[in-house]
Amino acid sequence: MTATTESISTGTARASAIEIDHISKVFGEGTGAVTAIDGMSVSVRAREFVAIVGASGCGKSTLLSLVAGLAGPTTGTVDVGGHRVAMMFQESSLFPWLTIGGNIEVPMRVNGVPKARRRERVAELLDLVRLSGFARKRPHQLSGGMRQRVALARALAQDADVLLMDEPFGALDAMTRDILHDELERIWREKSLTIMFVTHNVREAVRLGDRVILLSSRPGRVIEEFAVEGERPRRIDSARIASQAAEITDRLKVEVSRHAG
Amino acid sequence: MPADPSVQDRQVQGLDALEMAPPRRSDRPAAVRVAARAWAATWPKLAAVAIVLVAWQAVVWSGWRPVYVLPGPDQVLPRLFTEVASAEFWEAFRVTMRRALTGFALALTVGVLLGLAVTRFRLLRVAIGSLITGLQTMPSIVWFPFAMLLYGISESAIMFVIVLGAAPSIAGGLTSGIDYVSPQLMRAGQAMGLRGVQRYTLLIVPAALPMFVSGLKQGWAFAWRSLMAGELLVIINQQNSIGWALSQARQFNDSEGLLAYVLIVLCVGIVIDVFFNWADRSIRRRWGVSAS
């Protein structure tokens, strides 16, 4: 009996990498209190690619920092079931005083990885993001797209299998973003990652996500979920993506209008 | 087809190649380029020195003051060279520089401890934050009468004033360096699990370095000024030093000696300034925030 229940519970724990259960997050107290997230539940399966879209004030960034454990929810629970979580931002946030290799080593230094092993890992990770030979360059010598790939390598250096991405390609030009979508998809598969990808760009969400979760604003709640069909890799300019993106955008516009006057 | 790995690889590499600046080519050999750059940096300085010497000589020739009060460069420069060749000068120079370095080291210790304390404890910042800024703008020479009461005519009095003059700038540089660490970098550090000592060694200290170096540079300027004022005011018996040599020269109406020592003080200031500028520039180059 007990053995069966245990195996079932570990079985479900393994299937879902992130379990967000009725969380809310309130900043401040009393009359000045702001509810950023209110009663949100999201479950992300292991190896799933979930895109999260919403207008301003939907608590997307707050949500990611709760999942990363950088802050605690006011109510509810976030369970990442022992997975290691790494985070990427819109700005690459590389340390300008370190080389590219040195930047990728930072999380390994935090984890106490010995020096020789760190060097090996840096070479592997740079190879993965196709930046071999750039270890001794400095962040300012690279383009924005290259810096984001270094940031991705640095996130993976944490040995994380859950990757939280906060508009990572928001500041890049369309061509670079397009190519980085292919790259991210490749690395997601190669490394069996679970990804929560926050974006303002609905097409980007449909291009990348297995599922697109639409959030309301002030406070953030889940409005609707959209399963994305279609063979990968998808083309961001395909008719199928355009029509599903239009559907989601319309729903988002209804939500935005609700906040008028 | 983006699915094909080799096609994807070529796309990424092509994009990177386009976004990187094309390699700069020059047909001139490296030695020539280094020499050209050195000359471009040197000649404006030489020209400035020449202009100052000509203007100085012109004032002397105008007969505004008799030559025994205002000697020209033709008298002062040879005097400067004989001074620099004498053992006495080097003894004075050694004493002064020892005081400068000891005083600066003391100010550094006090400044760093003070700066760290202020950034760590909110209450302390509220209490003494503006006091530090106030001390920074205060002419440190006003402390000398009090320092001489506290310590008598001694080196300790000079050190006391150097620390009061330089430590606030050093503390201020460190505090603003730490305060202005970009919040994005702090967030990235937090996400990577940087905590405790590592948060300081891997993130905050290197991030605060440029402003800290500016604080050091300003602190040095205050320390050097306080020291010169101190050596002129606090004349320690029989102790040779640059300040002492200046006041000796004045007492004997030795205007050539006076001007020679003024030039020496100026040169020391310039040399140290060049050092700090070099440190500042190399940090900026590494960070990629300089224009070149």
Side-chain angles (χ1 to χ4, degrees):
Chain A
M1 260 309 262
T2 33
T4 331
T5 23
E6 261 174 26
S7 71
I8 288 168
S9 66
T10 51
T12 49
R14 201 169 293 147
S16 87
I18 307 169
E19 202 62 58
I20 300 165
D21 192 22
H22 290 94
I23 55 162
S24 67
K25 180 70 181 177
V26 182
F27 292 103
E29 279 168 26
T31 49
V34 176
T35 307
I37 294 178
D38 187 26
M40 191 186 286
S41 295
V42 176
S43 166
V44 181
R45 292 190 307 277
R47 301 182 186 185
E48 193 181 15
F49 199 131
V50 171
I52 295 170
V53 288
S56 300
C58 67
K60 293 176 293 195
S61 302
T62 308
L63 174 64
L64 291 193
S65 41
L66 293 180
V67 177
L70 301 182
T74 310
T75 59
T77 55
V78 176
D79 184 9
V80 292
H83 289 276
R84 292 193 79 137
V85 181
M87 210 165 172
M88 248 182 92
F89 307 97
Q90 181 168 354
E91 325 78 36
S92 62
S93 307
L94 299 176
F95 295 173
W97 55 90
L98 294 176
T99 58
I100 297 307
N103 267 288
I104 298 175
E105 281 187 49
V106 169
M108 295 190 261
R109 280 160 84 167
V110 173
N111 293 339
V113 178
K115 193 168 184 169
R117 177 76 194 119
R118 291 206 301 260
R119 292 283 145 84
E120 279 172 33
R121 281 283 284 158
V122 166
E124 285 167 23
L125 287 165
L126 281 177
D127 198 41
L128 181 72
V129 297
R130 303 192 212 261
L131 284 171
S132 310
F134 283 90
R136 304 179 73 99
K137 293 266 191 253
R138 292 190 178 273
H140 70 93
Q141 295 172 298
L142 270 55
S143 72
M146 294 161 91
R147 282 202 288 267
Q148 283 305 56
R149 275 142 65 201
V150 176
L152 177 59
R154 182 177 68 174
L156 295 176
Q158 291 183 54
D159 281 325
D161 54 358
V162 172
L163 191 55
L164 308 177
M165 307 180 88
D166 192 354
E167 297 190 56
F169 307 140
L172 303 178
D173 64 89
M175 188 72 227
T176 306
R177 198 186 305 149
D178 203 22
I179 289 177
L180 288 191
H181 288 158
D182 297 338
E183 285 295 282
L184 178 61
E185 193 164 56
R186 173 179 65 82
I187 291 166
W188 165 60
R189 285 196 158 152
E190 258 179 61
K191 295 282 156 192
S192 307
L193 300 172
T194 305
I195 297 183
M196 263 177 105
F197 187 104
V198 160
T199 178
H200 271 116
N201 184 332
V202 178
R203 280 195 177 213
E204 182 174 63
V206 181
R207 158 71 185 84
L208 289 169
D210 293 325
R211 228 176 348 139
V212 177
I213 296 178
L214 183 64
L215 299 184
S216 66
S217 295
R218 288 183 207 154
R221 290 195 187 101
V222 176
I223 300 180
E224 205 170 330
E225 288 191 16
F226 301 84
V228 186
E229 307 297 331
E231 226 16 36
R232 287 176 188 272
R234 307 169 189 138
R235 287 187 60 114
I236 198 161
D237 44 14
S238 68
R240 183 187 220 129
I241 286 188
S243 74
Q244 191 164 22
E247 181 196 343
I248 298 173
T249 304
D250 288 344
R251 188 67 193 80
L252 187 58
K253 280 178 179 164
V254 171
E255 164 59 21
V256 170
S257 314
R258 206 171 58 78
H259 293 270
Chain B
M1 282 280 104
D4 184 335
S6 71
V7 170
Q8 206 170 325
D9 193 34
R10 287 192 60 77
Q11 286 174 354
V12 173
Q13 286 188 354
L15 196 67
D16 290 350
L18 287 174
E19 285 187 335
M20 297 289 283
R24 241 186 290 170
R25 280 193 215 102
S26 172
D27 36 2
R28 287 196 291 177
V32 176
R33 261 181 292 145
V34 169
R37 211 178 314 146
W39 175 243
T42 316
W43 79 259
K45 296 186 178 74
L46 293 177
V49 170
I51 290 169
V52 168
L53 290 180
V54 168
W56 176 7
Q57 187 65 63
V59 173
V60 173
W61 277 333
S62 74
W64 174 60
R65 284 284 186 276
V67 174
Y68 67 87
V69 178
L70 179 63
D74 56 329
Q75 284 159 292
V76 173
L77 291 183
R79 175 61 186 278
L80 176 65
F81 295 128
T82 43
E83 283 295 335
V84 170
S86 72
E88 241 172 80
F89 162 76
W90 285 107
E91 172 61 20
F93 184 75
R94 206 181 52 76
V95 170
T96 298
M97 290 318 285
R98 178 178 53 73
R99 287 174 181 166
L101 293 181
T102 321
F104 190 62
L106 276 173
L108 182 65
T109 316
V110 173
V112 166
L113 291 178
L114 195 63
L116 283 179
V118 167
T119 53
R120 290 288 290 167
F121 306 108
R122 262 185 81 83
L123 188 66
L124 202 61
R125 171 182 304 238
V126 175
I128 66 167
S130 48
L131 180 67
I132 292 177
T133 329
L135 277 174
Q136 231 169 308
T137 55
M138 198 168 145
S140 58
I141 197 167
V142 303
W143 286 107
F144 270 111
F146 180 59
M148 281 150 84
L149 265 183
L150 277 181
Y151 292 101
I153 310 278
S154 70
E155 222 163 76
S156 306
I158 299 179
M159 293 300 149
F160 176 76
V161 178
I162 291 180
V163 169
L164 276 174
S169 298
I170 295 171
L174 184 63
T175 323
S176 43
I178 292 178
D179 284 350
Y180 292 109
V181 174
S182 124
Q184 275 139 30
L185 294 187
M186 292 298 275
R187 210 165 42 141
Q190 202 191 0
M192 287 187 287
L194 280 176
R195 246 175 258 111
V197 177
Q198 272 188 330
R199 201 166 72 99
Y200 274 87
T201 55
L202 294 181
L203 174 56
I204 293 176
V205 170
L209 198 61
M211 284 211 194
F212 181 57
V213 170
S214 318
L216 285 184
K217 182 177 164 179
Q218 202 187 39
W220 165 261
F222 282 125
W224 184 235
R225 276 182 226 177
S226 309
L227 176 60
M228 286 301 112
E231 287 190 343
L232 285 169
L233 282 175
V234 187
I235 292 164
I236 300 158
N237 218 11
Q238 302 302 326
Q239 177 75 279
N240 201 355
S241 71
I242 287 181
W244 185 78
L246 273 168
S247 50
Q248 286 294 96
R250 193 189 67 85
Q251 286 193 1
F252 294 114
N253 286 331
D254 174 11
S255 52
E256 288 164 24
L258 260 176
L259 284 175
Y261 272 95
V262 167
L263 287 179
I264 287 165
V265 172
L266 177 67
C267 287
V268 172
I270 291 174
V271 167
I272 304 281
D273 191 59
V274 164
F275 165 74
F276 277 113
N277 284 340
W278 166 82
D280 188 49
R281 251 202 325 273
S282 60
I283 291 173
R284 282 171 190 281
R285 202 171 30 243
R286 280 167 52 137
W287 284 49
V289 287
S290 73
S292 57

